[in-house]
Amino acid sequence: MAFELPSLKYSYDALEPHIDSKTMEIHHGKHHAGYTNNLNNAIKDSDLEGKSIEEILSELNLDNSAVRNNGGGFYNHCLFWDILSPSGGGEPAGALSNAISNSFGSYDEFKALFSKAAATRFGSGWAWLCVHPGGKLEVCSTANQDNPLMKGIGCGGTPILALDVWEHAYYLNYQNRRPDYIAGFFNVVDWTAVSALFDQNK
Ligand code: MN3
Protein backbone atom coordinates (compact mmCIF):
# COMPACT_ATOMS: atom_id res chain seq x y z
CA MET A 1 0.00 0.00 0.00
CA ALA A 2 1.49 3.26 -1.12
CA PHE A 3 1.36 6.38 1.01
CA GLU A 4 -1.31 8.87 -0.03
CA LEU A 5 -1.45 12.64 0.17
CA PRO A 6 -4.00 13.33 2.93
CA SER A 7 -6.88 15.65 2.14
CA LEU A 8 -7.14 18.72 4.35
CA LYS A 9 -9.94 19.15 6.90
CA TYR A 10 -10.30 22.81 5.78
CA SER A 11 -10.15 24.71 2.48
CA TYR A 12 -6.98 26.30 1.13
CA ASP A 13 -8.26 29.79 2.02
CA ALA A 14 -9.51 28.86 5.51
CA LEU A 15 -6.35 29.93 7.34
CA GLU A 16 -6.29 33.44 5.84
CA PRO A 17 -4.90 35.94 6.67
CA HIS A 18 -2.33 34.03 8.73
CA ILE A 19 -1.50 31.49 6.01
CA ASP A 20 -2.59 32.55 2.54
CA SER A 21 -4.57 30.46 0.08
CA LYS A 22 -1.96 30.38 -2.71
CA THR A 23 0.73 29.20 -0.31
CA MET A 24 -1.56 26.45 1.00
CA GLU A 25 -2.46 25.33 -2.52
CA ILE A 26 1.17 25.04 -3.63
CA HIS A 27 2.41 23.71 -0.29
CA HIS A 28 -0.13 20.88 -0.05
CA GLY A 29 -0.86 20.24 -3.73
CA LYS A 30 2.72 20.47 -5.02
CA HIS A 31 5.31 20.21 -2.23
CA HIS A 32 3.58 17.64 -0.02
CA ALA A 33 2.37 15.72 -3.06
CA GLY A 34 5.96 15.64 -4.32
CA TYR A 35 7.33 14.25 -1.05
CA THR A 36 4.59 11.62 -1.05
CA ASN A 37 5.33 10.46 -4.61
CA ASN A 38 9.09 10.50 -4.05
CA LEU A 39 8.72 8.51 -0.82
CA ASN A 40 6.66 5.86 -2.61
CA ASN A 41 9.29 5.64 -5.34
CA ALA A 42 12.12 5.43 -2.80
CA ILE A 43 10.62 2.48 -0.86
CA LYS A 44 9.15 0.59 -3.83
CA ASP A 45 10.25 -3.06 -3.84
CA SER A 46 12.37 -2.54 -0.69
CA ASP A 47 11.89 -4.01 2.80
CA LEU A 48 10.45 -0.64 3.89
CA GLU A 49 7.37 -1.11 1.72
CA GLY A 50 4.32 -1.92 3.88
CA LYS A 51 5.73 -0.39 7.08
CA SER A 52 4.09 2.59 8.78
CA ILE A 53 5.77 5.97 8.31
CA GLU A 54 6.54 6.05 12.06
CA GLU A 55 8.33 2.66 11.78
CA ILE A 56 10.24 3.77 8.70
CA LEU A 57 11.46 7.00 10.33
CA SER A 58 12.31 5.54 13.75
CA GLU A 59 14.37 2.74 12.16
CA LEU A 60 15.89 4.93 9.45
CA ASN A 61 19.53 4.78 8.42
CA LEU A 62 20.30 8.50 8.08
CA ASP A 63 22.52 7.75 5.07
CA ASN A 64 19.35 6.85 3.14
CA SER A 65 18.83 10.41 1.96
CA ALA A 66 15.88 9.67 -0.36
CA VAL A 67 13.79 8.23 2.49
CA ARG A 68 15.19 10.71 5.02
CA ASN A 69 14.15 13.71 2.90
CA ASN A 70 10.89 12.42 1.44
CA GLY A 71 9.72 10.26 4.35
CA GLY A 72 10.41 13.21 6.62
CA GLY A 73 8.63 15.52 4.21
CA PHE A 74 5.61 13.21 4.04
CA TYR A 75 5.28 12.79 7.82
CA ASN A 76 6.10 16.39 8.79
CA HIS A 77 3.46 17.93 6.54
CA CYS A 78 0.79 15.40 7.62
CA LEU A 79 1.34 16.52 11.21
CA PHE A 80 1.50 20.20 10.25
CA TRP A 81 -1.91 20.17 8.49
CA ASP A 82 -3.42 18.22 11.40
CA ILE A 83 -2.50 20.76 14.06
CA LEU A 84 -3.85 23.77 12.12
CA SER A 85 -7.45 24.96 12.13
CA PRO A 86 -9.34 28.11 11.09
CA SER A 87 -10.91 28.02 14.58
CA GLY A 88 -7.51 27.64 16.24
CA GLY A 89 -5.53 30.01 18.40
CA GLY A 90 -5.84 30.78 22.08
CA GLU A 91 -4.05 28.61 24.60
CA PRO A 92 -4.04 24.89 25.42
CA ALA A 93 -6.22 23.60 28.26
CA GLY A 94 -6.28 20.63 30.61
CA ALA A 95 -3.43 18.13 30.90
CA LEU A 96 -1.39 19.72 28.10
CA SER A 97 -1.62 23.13 29.76
CA ASN A 98 -0.34 21.62 33.02
CA ALA A 99 2.49 19.81 31.22
CA ILE A 100 3.54 23.05 29.49
CA SER A 101 3.66 24.84 32.85
CA ASN A 102 5.62 21.97 34.43
CA SER A 103 8.13 21.80 31.57
CA PHE A 104 8.60 25.48 30.68
CA GLY A 105 7.22 27.53 33.61
CA SER A 106 4.28 29.03 31.72
CA TYR A 107 2.55 29.10 28.34
CA ASP A 108 4.22 32.43 27.52
CA GLU A 109 7.66 30.98 28.26
CA PHE A 110 6.87 27.97 26.06
CA LYS A 111 5.67 30.25 23.23
CA ALA A 112 8.84 32.37 23.43
CA LEU A 113 11.06 29.28 23.39
CA PHE A 114 9.21 27.68 20.46
CA SER A 115 9.18 30.97 18.51
CA LYS A 116 12.92 31.38 19.06
CA ALA A 117 13.59 27.80 17.90
CA ALA A 118 11.59 28.51 14.73
CA ALA A 119 13.15 31.94 14.10
CA THR A 120 16.76 30.86 14.63
CA ARG A 121 16.67 27.67 12.53
CA PHE A 122 19.12 28.74 9.81
CA GLY A 123 17.90 27.95 6.30
CA SER A 124 15.16 25.35 5.95
CA GLY A 125 13.70 23.21 8.71
CA TRP A 126 11.09 22.74 11.38
CA ALA A 127 10.35 23.69 14.99
CA TRP A 128 8.82 21.05 17.26
CA LEU A 129 7.06 20.48 20.54
CA CYS A 130 7.60 16.86 21.54
CA VAL A 131 6.36 14.71 24.40
CA HIS A 132 8.44 12.07 26.18
CA PRO A 133 7.00 9.05 28.03
CA GLY A 134 5.74 10.37 31.38
CA GLY A 135 4.58 13.67 29.87
CA LYS A 136 7.79 15.74 29.88
CA LEU A 137 7.80 18.20 26.96
CA GLU A 138 10.71 19.35 24.79
CA VAL A 139 11.07 22.20 22.26
CA CYS A 140 13.64 21.75 19.51
CA SER A 141 14.26 22.31 15.81
CA THR A 142 15.65 20.23 12.98
CA ALA A 143 17.12 20.99 9.55
CA ASN A 144 15.54 20.23 6.18
CA GLN A 145 12.89 17.47 6.51
CA ASP A 146 14.45 15.76 9.53
CA ASN A 147 12.20 15.13 12.52
CA PRO A 148 12.42 13.91 16.12
CA LEU A 149 11.32 10.36 15.27
CA MET A 150 14.69 9.87 13.53
CA LYS A 151 17.39 8.55 15.89
CA GLY A 152 20.47 10.68 16.40
CA ILE A 153 18.95 13.91 15.17
CA GLY A 154 19.53 15.81 18.45
CA CYS A 155 15.82 16.13 19.16
CA GLY A 156 13.64 13.42 20.69
CA GLY A 157 10.22 12.26 21.82
CA THR A 158 7.01 12.20 19.79
CA PRO A 159 6.18 15.43 17.92
CA ILE A 160 2.78 16.92 18.85
CA LEU A 161 3.22 20.44 17.38
CA ALA A 162 5.11 21.26 14.19
CA LEU A 163 5.98 24.47 12.37
CA ASP A 164 7.41 24.44 8.86
CA VAL A 165 9.93 27.28 8.48
CA TRP A 166 11.00 26.51 4.91
CA GLU A 167 10.58 29.67 2.80
CA HIS A 168 7.98 27.82 0.68
CA ALA A 169 5.74 27.85 3.78
CA TYR A 170 5.55 31.65 4.07
CA TYR A 171 7.47 33.58 1.41
CA LEU A 172 4.51 34.60 -0.83
CA ASN A 173 2.74 36.33 2.07
CA TYR A 174 5.54 37.27 4.44
CA GLN A 175 8.68 37.44 2.22
CA ASN A 176 11.66 37.54 4.62
CA ARG A 177 9.55 38.27 7.73
CA ARG A 178 9.71 34.82 9.29
CA PRO A 179 8.95 36.15 12.81
CA ASP A 180 5.61 37.54 11.54
CA TYR A 181 4.75 34.15 10.04
CA ILE A 182 5.58 32.47 13.37
CA ALA A 183 3.32 34.93 15.21
CA GLY A 184 0.53 34.29 12.66
CA PHE A 185 0.92 30.53 13.06
CA PHE A 186 -0.12 30.75 16.72
CA ASN A 187 -3.48 32.20 15.60
CA VAL A 188 -4.32 28.98 13.74
CA VAL A 189 -2.88 26.30 16.06
CA ASP A 190 -5.55 23.70 16.85
CA TRP A 191 -4.80 23.09 20.54
CA THR A 192 -7.55 20.47 20.72
CA ALA A 193 -5.67 18.40 18.13
CA VAL A 194 -2.34 18.99 19.89
CA SER A 195 -3.90 17.95 23.23
CA ALA A 196 -5.20 14.73 21.65
CA LEU A 197 -1.70 13.92 20.39
CA PHE A 198 -0.30 14.69 23.85
CA ASP A 199 -2.82 12.35 25.50
CA GLN A 200 -2.05 9.55 23.01
CA ASN A 201 1.73 9.78 23.38
CA LYS A 202 2.49 10.93 26.97
MN1 MN3 B 1 6.84 22.50 3.66
Side-chain angles (χ1 to χ4, degrees):
M1 252 266 301
F3 290 105
E4 289 179 13
L5 179 69
S7 49
L8 301 180
K9 58 188 178 183
Y10 39 79
S11 60
Y12 284 143
D13 63 359
L15 305 176
E16 297 252 11
H18 309 293
I19 303 179
D20 67 282
S21 180
K22 192 71 183 170
T23 294
M24 285 299 299
E25 182 184 341
I26 297 169
H27 202 176
H28 175 260
K30 303 291 185 192
H31 290 275
H32 196 188
Y35 294 123
T36 306
N37 290 336
N38 292 339
L39 171 62
N40 286 328
N41 290 334
I43 64 172
K44 193 170 167 49
D45 300 326
S46 81
D47 59 355
L48 299 178
E49 205 169 22
K51 293 190 174 188
S52 72
I53 189 62
E54 289 84 359
E55 283 177 303
I56 289 173
L57 297 178
S58 61
E59 299 166 359
L60 182 69
N61 178 343
L62 295 179
D63 292 333
N64 186 345
S65 57
V67 175
R68 182 177 181 173
N69 292 334
N70 295 293
F74 173 75
Y75 172 90
N76 297 350
H77 291 88
C78 290
L79 177 61
F80 188 45
W81 311 137
D82 270 354
I83 56 86
L84 297 174
S85 167
S87 57
E91 294 186 15
L96 176 59
S97 172
N98 293 334
I100 285 175
S101 295
N102 290 337
S103 296
F104 306 112
S106 68
Y107 173 76
D108 287 343
E109 285 172 272
F110 151 73
K111 188 175 174 182
L113 194 65
F114 185 94
S115 298
K116 185 180 179 192
T120 58
R121 165 52 54 189
F122 184 76
S124 298
W126 291 76
W128 306 99
L129 174 65
C130 303
V131 62
H132 291 269
K136 180 78 177 170
L137 296 168
E138 174 183 357
V139 163
C140 58
S141 82
T142 54
N144 302 317
Q145 295 296 352
D146 289 348
N147 69 50
L149 297 180
M150 299 173 182
K151 302 281 192 304
I153 222 75
C155 194
T158 304
I160 60 172
L161 179 69
L163 176 55
D164 189 341
V165 295
W166 284 57
E167 284 188 344
H168 69 226
Y170 63 88
Y171 204 85
L172 292 180
N173 194 30
Y174 294 95
Q175 294 80 50
N176 64 330
R177 293 175 283 114
R178 191 192 286 184
D180 292 350
Y181 162 66
I182 296 167
F185 161 76
F186 277 98
N187 291 316
V188 287
V189 170
D190 183 352
W191 286 113
T192 304
V194 180
S195 286
L197 289 170
F198 173 76
D199 290 339
Q200 287 159 24
N201 293 288
K202 70 184 177 191

